[in-house]
Amino acid sequence: TTAVDFYFRMEDRKGTTITEWKNLGRMEPMGNGNYSLTLLGETIHPDLRMALAWFDFQLVGTNKLGQVMGRTEKIVQLVTYTIDCP
């Protein structure tokens, strides 16, 4: 694995809407197989923002040819997203 992409979707906590998975972009390599991504609330496109939602995500590792080498499990209903986050 030479790169890791960060995918996410928004899931309305009321269970009425789930967005498609979106690629937020490539994570920054930190060395020794570690990667980092700084996520700001305003990074989420306004059309995807919900008053109270789950922020689900998955990491996808690729090789230098861009081929998928592996994926994490989908991390769902663990992180809460709110528009009015302090």
Side-chain angles (χ1 to χ4, degrees), residues 8 12 14 18-19 23 25-26 30 41 46 50 57 59 61 64 66 68 71 74 79 81 85:
F8 77 97
D12 183 8
K14 296 175 186 168
I18 300 177
T19 69
N23 187 346
R26 185 143 293 167
M30 307 222 13
M50 299 176 193
F57 63 96
L59 308 178
K64 57 185 166 183
V68 173
R71 301 172 186 271
K74 293 175 182 170
V79 178
Y81 176 94
C85 186

Side-chain angles (χ1 to χ4, degrees), residues 26 28 80:
R26 185 143 293 167
E28 294 292 323
T80 298

Side-chain angles (χ1 to χ4, degrees), residues 45-84:
H45 191 281
D47 291 344
L48 300 177
R49 297 176 191 168
M50 299 176 193
L52 182 60
W54 293 111
F55 180 84
D56 301 337
F57 63 96
Q58 182 179 42
L59 308 178
V60 178
T62 57
N63 64 17
K64 57 185 166 183
L65 299 175
Q67 299 166 321
V68 173
M69 301 299 295
R71 301 172 186 271
T72 65
E73 295 291 324
K74 293 175 182 170
I75 312 302
V76 299
Q77 297 185 351
L78 179 67
V79 178
T80 298
Y81 176 94
T82 63
I83 290 177
D84 297 327

Side-chain angles (χ1 to χ4, degrees), residues 5-8 22-26 37-39 43-44 55:
D5 288 335
F6 189 99
Y7 284 82
F8 77 97
K22 306 287 184 189
N23 187 346
L24 191 61
R26 185 143 293 167
L37 176 79
T38 300
L39 175 66
T43 304
I44 307 301
F55 180 84

Side-chain angles (χ1 to χ4, degrees), residues 7-20:
Y7 284 82
F8 77 97
R9 72 178 180 189
M10 304 300 286
E11 181 179 348
D12 183 8
R13 295 277 300 256
K14 296 175 186 168
T16 57
T17 304
I18 300 177
T19 69
E20 296 291 322

